[in-house]
Amino acid sequence: MLSPSLAQEIAGDTSAVIGFNVLITDAEGMVIGSGDSSRVGTFHEASVQVVRTQEAATHNASQAQQLRGVRPGMTLPLIAGGQAVGTVGITGTPTQVRRFGLLVKRQTEILLRESVMLRSRLLAERAGEKLLADIAAYDPEVVEGDFLVFRAAELGFDLRLRRVAVAFEVTVPAAAAHRQGAPTLALVRSELLRTVGEVFADPQDIIAATAPGWIGVLHRLPAAGSTESLAADCRRITDVIAAREGLAARAGIGEPATSVGGLHDSYQDACEALRLGSRVAGGSAVHLITDLRVHQVLTAVGQSARNRLVDLTTGDLRTQPDWPALRDTITAWCESGFNLVRASEALHVHRNTVVYRMNKIEQITGRPLREHRTTMALYLACLADQLGGGTDSAVRRRRGGR
């Protein structure tokens, strides 16, 4: 429980402060740390009795001579969890060192508890990372879902509760990347996990770093929870990361699930929302897969099919210098339920501008935008154009998916 490296660090630092040699033994009486490094690895006989009785003992010069590896001084038990896990000894005449005994003992026990807590937290983090990675890569033909449910239960998590997956991507802005003292993702990893954990604080929330700059969350949804409140929480996290760390952060949100297979799909969807949202959502930092299902289907058909859809459907529209504005107008027209007022509000332009653009689109295509079949074909072509090209294999590798 008390590592030799920690024992040596405590013994060396404490010896330098109090001016007397401090040594630390394990429960078997072997010296694992000492201000006098020559004593490390030797046997300290007095510690055996101190560990057994859990009571301090002092030894003068004549008493110390009768015990193997013991010098005059005081030996006190180190207690952790109600058990003696070792001892701490101070070399000197008992009258000189007695006043330091309790102080050194308490300080060592505090550092020991902190070390145990840190180790426990690191082990819990690694177990959470492994669990999330296994869910992200879940294949029912390779591993049974019940096995992951059982393993999660050992960690205190019930995977049968209603959860939703969230994926965070944190990057160093290009403007700050070359600045002296700019943050690196490896150095701020613990701080990023703590920031996410401050918002997703339910004991059932599973939070883990899945790769440098990527954090996954399997968030337990409260009975009255909604995607709106979850999106607001994610925006709060991305804002805090940007303000506190000088980094850029985005979040993708999947769909609710109550099974291992459902959580796998939810996490993959959250990562898909991140990938697709960066292409079509402008400056938004939070992306919901529910808003991007059509985009997801379009990417599934492949780049070649999307290119043909765009080329054959948009025709001469893409040659126009104001094509981005025309494309946004078609998108807003469809997503606003073919309502002129709502479309103008979504575009933040006057309704007459929308009418002008629609007339132009109809003149170029020779098709009326109030004919829904025509308009939906144009809408899909506009989304495909927004998605652009490129492959997504690198993104899948970073997020831990297949």
Side-chain angles (χ1 to χ4, degrees), residues 107-125:
Q107 183 64 26
T108 304
E109 288 176 342
I110 289 171
L111 293 174
L112 176 58
R113 282 198 300 272
E114 289 179 349
S115 174
V116 170
M117 290 174 61
L118 177 60
R119 178 176 175 79
S120 177
R121 187 167 64 248
L122 289 175
L123 288 174
E125 282 184 9

Side-chain angles (χ1 to χ4, degrees), residues 100-157:
F100 295 109
L102 187 59
L103 177 63
V104 173
K105 166 184 164 67
R106 286 181 176 173
Q107 183 64 26
T108 304
E109 288 176 342
I110 289 171
L111 293 174
L112 176 58
R113 282 198 300 272
E114 289 179 349
S115 174
V116 170
M117 290 174 61
L118 177 60
R119 178 176 175 79
S120 177
R121 187 167 64 248
L122 289 175
L123 288 174
E125 282 184 9
R126 288 171 187 162
E129 289 172 5
K130 182 67 167 60
L131 177 62
L132 187 56
D134 286 346
I135 290 173
Y138 172 68
D139 184 344
E141 295 183 1
V142 177
V143 62
E144 291 187 5
D146 288 345
F147 173 73
L148 292 181
V149 171
F150 175 77
R151 236 185 59 209
E154 288 185 316
L155 300 174
F157 301 118

Side-chain angles (χ1 to χ4, degrees), residues 9 53 87 167 202 238 257 300 336 341 343 372 387-388:
E9 183 179 355
T53 62
T87 69
D202 190 302
T238 57
S336 299
V341 174
H372 291 176
L387 290 171

Side-chain angles (χ1 to χ4, degrees), residues 29-51:
M30 297 301 297
V31 178
I32 57 176
S34 174
D36 177 2
S37 58
S38 66
R39 299 186 69 182
V40 175
T42 63
F43 179 66
H44 190 263
E45 188 176 354
S47 294
V48 176
Q49 179 73 4
V50 171
V51 168

Side-chain angles (χ1 to χ4, degrees), residues 232-259:
D233 287 339
C234 291
R235 276 189 289 272
R236 186 148 54 99
I237 290 172
T238 57
D239 289 345
V240 169
I241 290 174
R244 186 187 299 172
E245 306 298 339
L247 301 169
R250 298 186 304 116
I253 301 174
E255 299 266 20
T258 56
S259 67

Side-chain angles (χ1 to χ4, degrees), residues 203-219:
Q204 283 292 321
D205 286 343
I206 302 172
I207 304 170
T210 59
W214 283 73
I215 296 175
V217 181
L218 299 181
H219 170 57

